[in-house]
Amino acid sequence: GLEESDGDAIRLNDSAELVGSNCAVYSNSRDAKGLMVHGGARLQSGFTCSAGGFGDSLQHFNPAPLTDCPKRDDPLADRIEPIAGACDFIDRKVKDFRGKLEPGVYCGGLVIDGESDVTLGAGVYVFRDGGLQLKDRSSIAGENTGLFFTGENAAVKFEDKSSVSLSAPETDAMAGVLIWQSRASTGVKSFEIFSNNVDELVGTIYLPDSEFHASATAEVAEDSARARLCRKVRA
């Protein structure tokens, strides 16, 4: 969690579980409640560290978090953002569509609705002044796909019945990064997953100025070989 002052830089509620036995979980927040795990939630990691404090009980953590840790620098601060050129598509919406969409600049965003079954071709998808929204029972799948969000109100929203399986590019500007929010984006507070059918999200999720909300009741990205999230977490 990159947040440095507010509480809940990383927060798990209810019966949420964040499991990464060979991974580190790190909160940069100096707040006494910078890392919070409530109710029946659980956080299991190889190492957990908070620049401030944690709560609400040690029983939620395995192992116990360390506190007063030094702030970690943004690991992607030096990465150069993908180039967002002229619009290739404007206010693109598909419903009950079965087929393939191609990389490009989606001005006004992309809405996939109904019983759509969409394959994303390999490459970088730029969402400018609008986000990527999956509605109803729509699904997307793609390998070597990078999703870059820039401008105003550009974010992800995967609704509860949608299905998702995506992996990041292995080369070029978005190598290893699946979802990237531009540092110049405005108007966005959160990237949201409500779906119980998000099986694979392979790659880094980098949100330098937004929160990531996973509100599903099933596992999210359980089939992913690797994943990293850089920003606030609310589960």
Side-chain angles (χ1 to χ4, degrees), residues 31 81 102 123 137 139 146 152 214:
D31 191 276
E81 294 187 352
E102 297 296 342
R137 298 183 182 276
S139 67
E152 187 174 4

Side-chain angles (χ1 to χ4, degrees), residues 134 136-141 159 161-165 195 197-198:
L134 299 188
D136 202 3
R137 298 183 182 276
S138 57
S139 67
I140 57 171
E159 296 189 358
K161 296 178 182 179
S162 63
S163 301
V164 182
S165 179
S195 172
N197 304 302
V198 179

Side-chain angles (χ1 to χ4, degrees), residues 81-85 87 105-109 125-131 147-156 180-189 191 208-210:
E81 294 187 352
I83 297 173
C87 301
V105 179
Y106 287 76
C107 293
Y125 293 75
V126 176
F127 299 95
R128 176 189 288 158
D129 299 328
L147 311 179
F148 180 67
F149 297 84
T150 187
E152 187 174 4
N153 299 323
V156 157
W180 185 337
Q181 179 195 32
S182 171
R183 302 175 186 95
S185 289
T186 60
V188 172
K189 299 301 182 182
F191 284 57
D209 197 34
S210 286

Side-chain angles (χ1 to χ4, degrees), residues 79-83 123-126 144-149 167-181 203-204 206:
R79 287 284 295 264
I80 298 174
E81 294 187 352
I83 297 173
V124 175
Y125 293 75
V126 176
N144 296 310
T145 57
L147 311 179
F148 180 67
F149 297 84
S167 64
E170 298 180 1
T171 59
D172 299 326
M174 288 195 65
V177 183
L178 177 63
I179 297 174
W180 185 337
Q181 179 195 32
T204 296
Y206 181 45

Side-chain angles (χ1 to χ4, degrees), residues 5 13 31 88 105 114 118-119 123 128 164 181 184 199-200 207 222 233:
S5 58
N13 292 330
D31 191 276
D88 296 302
V105 179
V118 175
T119 299
R128 176 189 288 158
V164 182
Q181 179 195 32
D199 297 328
E200 188 175 41
L207 312 178
E222 72 271 23
V233 179

